[in-house]
Amino acid sequence: MKKVPTHVAIIMDGNGRWAKEKGEKRSYGHKYGAKTLETLALHAKKIGIKYLSVYAFSTDNFKRSVEEVSFIMDLLVYYCKNRLKRLGEEGVRVVFSGRREGLRSDVLDAMEDITKKTSKNSSCTLNVCLNYGGQEEIIDSFIKLHNDINNDDIKLEEIDRETLYKYMYQNLPPIDLLIRTGKEHRLSNFMLYQMFYAELYFVDTYFPDFKCKDLDEAIKYYNNKERRFGNAK
Ligand code: IPE
Ligand code: IPE
Ligand code: MG
């Protein structure tokens, strides 16, 4: 592989349709989606991706049925307690982005536990976006910034592109490559600030079927792009 992007983000979409096409309930798709994510995160670390951000549950996904929402939350607790341990052992640091308000206490405990257990790892960071919204992140960063200005912790002249990153949920570098599975070509309120020069890669494959070789394919696409950042050649 020529050049591995530093920060890859994935909108893991299509779990429900994948299950429906198999005559199964939507939850079946979420279960397989979670397995896919585990495999992909290990692969990402192996090929040298430093940051992997994944959209696991949006603030707007709370509009879904209570049954579906609680299934996804139970799955997350199970993964934090059991499966993500493996990622930790492999040197992956797990962090979360999103609003804490509205999440169940067992979910918050599980998130805190895995974050603490993997905090010393440095080979790859898995940023799980849960109860996450891109506009909400910008709103929350404005509130923090406003407080810091009032407390004289930062001056207006110091605010620039770089400083605003520090006000996001996690201080991660900009996204180099965004992948969205599952046929739709939209951002659905994902990491709007960090996406500003991301290469966009849309693939019809539903997320549970997205394999390591598909990630390699997306990186190949990225490698064929000339990134100009507004410059002229
Ligand atoms: C993505 O798959 C996972 C979540 C949003 C939690 P969907 O559940 O959106 O699956 P589709 O898009 O309905 O097929
Ligand atoms: C985006 O997918 C959110 C996640 C993948 C977690 P959605 O399925 O919620 O997005 P829309 O509704 O199709 O835009
Ligand atoms: Mg969807």
Side-chain angles (χ1 to χ4, degrees), residues 2-36:
K2 271 201 295 188
K3 194 171 52 170
V4 177
T6 305
H7 189 174
V8 175
I10 310 180
I11 301 178
M12 310 184 288
D13 196 26
N15 292 351
R17 280 163 288 160
W18 180 85
K20 215 172 149 198
E21 284 183 12
K22 293 188 156 28
E24 298 282 351
K25 292 207 298 189
R26 296 178 58 81
S27 52
Y28 183 71
H30 295 313
K31 204 168 135 190
Y32 273 84
K35 271 194 191 168
T36 299

Tab-separated table of all heavy atoms in Angstrom, residues 2-36:
chain	number	residue	atom	x	y	z
A	2	LYS	N	0.592	2.161	-0.919
A	2	LYS	CA	1.452	3.334	-1.072
A	2	LYS	C	1.444	4.231	0.157
A	2	LYS	O	2.427	4.429	0.836
A	2	LYS	CB	1.001	4.142	-2.300
A	2	LYS	CG	1.677	3.702	-3.587
A	2	LYS	CD	1.623	4.781	-4.648
A	2	LYS	CE	0.165	5.017	-5.039
A	2	LYS	NZ	-0.043	5.878	-6.169
A	3	LYS	N	0.274	4.804	0.420
A	3	LYS	CA	0.178	5.817	1.456
A	3	LYS	C	-1.074	5.519	2.268
A	3	LYS	O	-2.174	5.478	1.727
A	3	LYS	CB	0.041	7.175	0.758
A	3	LYS	CG	0.262	8.386	1.617
A	3	LYS	CD	0.309	9.643	0.748
A	3	LYS	CE	-0.867	9.703	-0.112
A	3	LYS	NZ	-1.420	10.575	-0.910
A	4	VAL	N	-0.881	5.300	3.562
A	4	VAL	CA	-2.042	4.976	4.386
A	4	VAL	C	-2.571	6.277	5.006
A	4	VAL	O	-1.811	7.035	5.602
A	4	VAL	CB	-1.646	3.971	5.493
A	4	VAL	CG1	-2.825	3.672	6.395
A	4	VAL	CG2	-1.139	2.685	4.861
A	5	PRO	N	-3.880	6.554	4.837
A	5	PRO	CA	-4.411	7.783	5.433
A	5	PRO	C	-4.282	7.758	6.957
A	5	PRO	O	-4.414	6.696	7.571
A	5	PRO	CB	-5.882	7.788	5.014
A	5	PRO	CG	-6.182	6.416	4.516
A	5	PRO	CD	-4.895	5.784	4.122
A	6	THR	N	-4.002	8.906	7.548
A	6	THR	CA	-3.840	8.954	9.001
A	6	THR	C	-5.174	8.727	9.713
A	6	THR	O	-5.280	7.953	10.644
A	6	THR	CB	-3.274	10.343	9.412
A	6	THR	OG1	-2.072	10.552	8.680
A	6	THR	CG2	-2.988	10.421	10.898
A	7	HIS	N	-6.202	9.421	9.225
A	7	HIS	CA	-7.515	9.332	9.895
A	7	HIS	C	-8.587	8.876	8.902
A	7	HIS	O	-8.895	9.575	7.944
A	7	HIS	CB	-7.866	10.713	10.479
A	7	HIS	CG	-9.079	10.702	11.366
A	7	HIS	ND1	-9.489	11.804	12.085
A	7	HIS	CD2	-9.963	9.729	11.666
A	7	HIS	CE1	-10.579	11.502	12.784
A	7	HIS	NE2	-10.888	10.251	12.539
A	8	VAL	N	-9.123	7.695	9.162
A	8	VAL	CA	-10.201	7.151	8.330
A	8	VAL	C	-11.489	7.185	9.151
A	8	VAL	O	-11.477	6.864	10.341
A	8	VAL	CB	-9.879	5.699	7.891
A	8	VAL	CG1	-11.050	5.082	7.137
A	8	VAL	CG2	-8.616	5.657	7.026
A	9	ALA	N	-12.585	7.599	8.521
A	9	ALA	CA	-13.880	7.599	9.213
A	9	ALA	C	-14.850	6.731	8.426
A	9	ALA	O	-14.801	6.712	7.190
A	9	ALA	CB	-14.406	9.029	9.317
A	10	ILE	N	-15.688	6.003	9.145
A	10	ILE	CA	-16.657	5.131	8.458
A	10	ILE	C	-18.076	5.380	8.968
A	10	ILE	O	-18.332	5.315	10.173
A	10	ILE	CB	-16.325	3.621	8.631
A	10	ILE	CG1	-14.863	3.321	8.300
A	10	ILE	CG2	-17.255	2.764	7.772
A	10	ILE	CD1	-14.472	1.843	8.450
A	11	ILE	N	-18.977	5.664	8.032
A	11	ILE	CA	-20.413	5.696	8.348
A	11	ILE	C	-20.906	4.279	8.063
A	11	ILE	O	-21.040	3.869	6.906
A	11	ILE	CB	-21.164	6.748	7.496
A	11	ILE	CG1	-20.572	8.149	7.754
A	11	ILE	CG2	-22.663	6.720	7.815
A	11	ILE	CD1	-21.202	9.270	6.920
A	12	MET	N	-21.087	3.528	9.139
A	12	MET	CA	-21.359	2.086	9.014
A	12	MET	C	-22.858	1.906	8.771
A	12	MET	O	-23.616	1.643	9.699
A	12	MET	CB	-20.950	1.381	10.314
A	12	MET	CG	-19.537	1.723	10.788
A	12	MET	SD	-19.033	0.792	12.240
A	12	MET	CE	-20.024	1.522	13.529
A	13	ASP	N	-23.265	2.041	7.512
A	13	ASP	CA	-24.708	2.042	7.233
A	13	ASP	C	-25.139	0.778	6.489
A	13	ASP	O	-24.359	0.183	5.751
A	13	ASP	CB	-25.056	3.295	6.414
A	13	ASP	CG	-26.551	3.572	6.428
A	13	ASP	OD1	-27.232	3.167	7.393
A	13	ASP	OD2	-27.042	4.194	5.465
A	14	GLY	N	-26.408	0.413	6.696
A	14	GLY	CA	-27.003	-0.686	5.935
A	14	GLY	C	-27.242	-1.961	6.723
A	14	GLY	O	-27.640	-2.980	6.146
A	15	ASN	N	-27.042	-1.909	8.030
A	15	ASN	CA	-27.260	-3.112	8.854
A	15	ASN	C	-28.701	-3.621	8.737
A	15	ASN	O	-28.937	-4.822	8.596
A	15	ASN	CB	-27.002	-2.807	10.336
A	15	ASN	CG	-25.550	-2.532	10.639
A	15	ASN	OD1	-24.694	-2.724	9.782
A	15	ASN	ND2	-25.264	-2.074	11.849
A	16	GLY	N	-29.650	-2.682	8.818
A	16	GLY	CA	-31.069	-3.052	8.807
A	16	GLY	C	-31.465	-3.682	7.481
A	16	GLY	O	-32.117	-4.735	7.446
A	17	ARG	N	-31.066	-3.044	6.376
A	17	ARG	CA	-31.426	-3.572	5.053
A	17	ARG	C	-30.760	-4.913	4.790
A	17	ARG	O	-31.348	-5.813	4.183
A	17	ARG	CB	-31.055	-2.542	3.965
A	17	ARG	CG	-32.082	-1.413	3.837
A	17	ARG	CD	-31.526	-0.242	3.088
A	17	ARG	NE	-30.549	0.480	3.884
A	17	ARG	CZ	-29.637	1.301	3.381
A	17	ARG	NH1	-29.535	1.461	2.090
A	17	ARG	NH2	-28.800	1.927	4.183
A	18	TRP	N	-29.527	-5.058	5.274
A	18	TRP	CA	-28.801	-6.335	5.126
A	18	TRP	C	-29.611	-7.464	5.773
A	18	TRP	O	-29.803	-8.527	5.183
A	18	TRP	CB	-27.431	-6.200	5.792
A	18	TRP	CG	-26.555	-7.405	5.734
A	18	TRP	CD1	-25.716	-7.760	4.719
A	18	TRP	CD2	-26.390	-8.403	6.754
A	18	TRP	NE1	-25.040	-8.928	5.040
A	18	TRP	CE2	-25.436	-9.345	6.275
A	18	TRP	CE3	-26.937	-8.624	8.010
A	18	TRP	CZ2	-25.035	-10.458	7.023
A	18	TRP	CZ3	-26.550	-9.732	8.754
A	18	TRP	CH2	-25.602	-10.626	8.254
A	19	ALA	N	-30.100	-7.190	6.989
A	19	ALA	CA	-30.865	-8.214	7.717
A	19	ALA	C	-32.204	-8.482	7.025
A	19	ALA	O	-32.612	-9.635	6.853
A	19	ALA	CB	-31.079	-7.755	9.155
A	20	LYS	N	-32.860	-7.400	6.612
A	20	LYS	CA	-34.186	-7.528	5.986
A	20	LYS	C	-34.115	-8.386	4.731
A	20	LYS	O	-34.964	-9.248	4.496
A	20	LYS	CB	-34.715	-6.136	5.645
A	20	LYS	CG	-36.206	-6.013	5.806
A	20	LYS	CD	-36.666	-4.583	5.649
A	20	LYS	CE	-38.076	-4.578	5.060
A	20	LYS	NZ	-38.430	-3.279	4.490
A	21	GLU	N	-33.043	-8.180	3.950
A	21	GLU	CA	-32.880	-8.964	2.719
A	21	GLU	C	-32.680	-10.447	3.013
A	21	GLU	O	-32.868	-11.291	2.149
A	21	GLU	CB	-31.705	-8.425	1.876
A	21	GLU	CG	-32.093	-7.149	1.156
A	21	GLU	CD	-31.005	-6.598	0.260
A	21	GLU	OE1	-29.999	-7.292	-0.006
A	21	GLU	OE2	-31.165	-5.439	-0.186
A	22	LYS	N	-32.284	-10.741	4.239
A	22	LYS	CA	-32.094	-12.141	4.633
A	22	LYS	C	-33.337	-12.665	5.358
A	22	LYS	O	-33.313	-13.757	5.922
A	22	LYS	CB	-30.880	-12.250	5.565
A	22	LYS	CG	-29.572	-11.945	4.868
A	22	LYS	CD	-28.395	-12.262	5.775
A	22	LYS	CE	-27.109	-12.545	5.037
A	22	LYS	NZ	-26.920	-11.926	3.729
A	23	GLY	N	-34.379	-11.832	5.427
A	23	GLY	CA	-35.609	-12.227	6.102
A	23	GLY	C	-35.466	-12.199	7.622
A	23	GLY	O	-36.209	-12.863	8.350
A	24	GLU	N	-34.492	-11.425	8.113
A	24	GLU	CA	-34.233	-11.377	9.565
A	24	GLU	C	-34.639	-10.018	10.133
A	24	GLU	O	-34.887	-9.071	9.399
A	24	GLU	CB	-32.727	-11.584	9.828
A	24	GLU	CG	-32.171	-12.910	9.378
A	24	GLU	CD	-32.499	-14.054	10.321
A	24	GLU	OE1	-33.021	-13.799	11.424
A	24	GLU	OE2	-32.244	-15.208	9.926
A	25	LYS	N	-34.611	-9.922	11.470
A	25	LYS	CA	-34.913	-8.648	12.125
A	25	LYS	C	-33.714	-7.701	12.003
A	25	LYS	O	-32.568	-8.149	11.873
A	25	LYS	CB	-35.226	-8.883	13.613
A	25	LYS	CG	-36.531	-9.632	13.814
A	25	LYS	CD	-37.191	-9.315	15.147
A	25	LYS	CE	-36.359	-9.717	16.338
A	25	LYS	NZ	-37.060	-9.613	17.608
A	26	ARG	N	-33.959	-6.396	12.144
A	26	ARG	CA	-32.883	-5.404	12.033
A	26	ARG	C	-31.744	-5.676	13.012
A	26	ARG	O	-30.576	-5.458	12.718
A	26	ARG	CB	-33.435	-3.993	12.272
A	26	ARG	CG	-34.442	-3.535	11.237
A	26	ARG	CD	-34.990	-2.148	11.577
A	26	ARG	NE	-33.916	-1.180	11.679
A	26	ARG	CZ	-33.342	-0.586	10.628
A	26	ARG	NH1	-33.769	-0.847	9.419
A	26	ARG	NH2	-32.358	0.267	10.797
A	27	SER	N	-32.107	-6.191	14.203
A	27	SER	CA	-31.100	-6.429	15.235
A	27	SER	C	-30.026	-7.428	14.768
A	27	SER	O	-28.853	-7.319	15.136
A	27	SER	CB	-31.762	-6.937	16.519
A	27	SER	OG	-32.575	-8.028	16.216
A	28	TYR	N	-30.425	-8.362	13.934
A	28	TYR	CA	-29.487	-9.352	13.391
A	28	TYR	C	-28.385	-8.631	12.600
A	28	TYR	O	-27.203	-8.979	12.667
A	28	TYR	CB	-30.284	-10.305	12.494
A	28	TYR	CG	-29.515	-11.455	11.892
A	28	TYR	CD1	-29.084	-12.514	12.680
A	28	TYR	CD2	-29.276	-11.499	10.505
A	28	TYR	CE1	-28.399	-13.578	12.104
A	28	TYR	CE2	-28.602	-12.566	9.924
A	28	TYR	CZ	-28.166	-13.597	10.730
A	28	TYR	OH	-27.497	-14.654	10.163
A	29	GLY	N	-28.792	-7.604	11.886
A	29	GLY	CA	-27.830	-6.802	11.111
A	29	GLY	C	-26.876	-6.050	12.020
A	29	GLY	O	-25.676	-5.955	11.744
A	30	HIS	N	-27.391	-5.525	13.130
A	30	HIS	CA	-26.519	-4.796	14.056
A	30	HIS	C	-25.476	-5.737	14.676
A	30	HIS	O	-24.321	-5.374	14.865
A	30	HIS	CB	-27.345	-4.122	15.154
A	30	HIS	CG	-28.256	-3.056	14.621
A	30	HIS	ND1	-27.825	-2.102	13.727
A	30	HIS	CD2	-29.577	-2.785	14.832
A	30	HIS	CE1	-28.845	-1.301	13.418
A	30	HIS	NE2	-29.913	-1.699	14.073
A	31	LYS	N	-25.933	-6.956	14.968
A	31	LYS	CA	-25.022	-7.946	15.557
A	31	LYS	C	-23.860	-8.249	14.597
A	31	LYS	O	-22.692	-8.269	15.002
A	31	LYS	CB	-25.831	-9.220	15.828
A	31	LYS	CG	-25.260	-10.087	16.883
A	31	LYS	CD	-26.263	-11.137	17.278
A	31	LYS	CE	-25.558	-12.471	17.374
A	31	LYS	NZ	-26.513	-13.566	17.534
A	32	TYR	N	-24.185	-8.457	13.334
A	32	TYR	CA	-23.129	-8.754	12.368
A	32	TYR	C	-22.292	-7.521	12.052
A	32	TYR	O	-21.095	-7.620	11.787
A	32	TYR	CB	-23.704	-9.426	11.110
A	32	TYR	CG	-23.768	-10.903	11.363
A	32	TYR	CD1	-24.870	-11.445	12.037
A	32	TYR	CD2	-22.686	-11.726	11.086
A	32	TYR	CE1	-24.902	-12.780	12.383
A	32	TYR	CE2	-22.709	-13.065	11.423
A	32	TYR	CZ	-23.812	-13.594	12.075
A	32	TYR	OH	-23.814	-14.916	12.429
A	33	GLY	N	-22.941	-6.365	12.114
A	33	GLY	CA	-22.210	-5.112	11.908
A	33	GLY	C	-21.132	-4.949	12.970
A	33	GLY	O	-20.002	-4.542	12.680
A	34	ALA	N	-21.466	-5.288	14.197
A	34	ALA	CA	-20.498	-5.161	15.297
A	34	ALA	C	-19.296	-6.080	15.070
A	34	ALA	O	-18.144	-5.701	15.289
A	34	ALA	CB	-21.187	-5.472	16.622
A	35	LYS	N	-19.562	-7.290	14.586
A	35	LYS	CA	-18.458	-8.234	14.285
A	35	LYS	C	-17.562	-7.671	13.193
A	35	LYS	O	-16.330	-7.777	13.253
A	35	LYS	CB	-19.049	-9.557	13.756
A	35	LYS	CG	-19.357	-10.528	14.838
A	35	LYS	CD	-19.608	-11.900	14.230
A	35	LYS	CE	-20.188	-12.767	15.334
A	35	LYS	NZ	-20.741	-13.999	14.911
A	36	THR	N	-18.212	-7.099	12.183
A	36	THR	CA	-17.451	-6.506	11.074
A	36	THR	C	-16.543	-5.404	11.590
A	36	THR	O	-15.374	-5.304	11.201
A	36	THR	CB	-18.434	-5.951	10.011
A	36	THR	OG1	-19.201	-7.026	9.527
A	36	THR	CG2	-17.715	-5.268	8.878
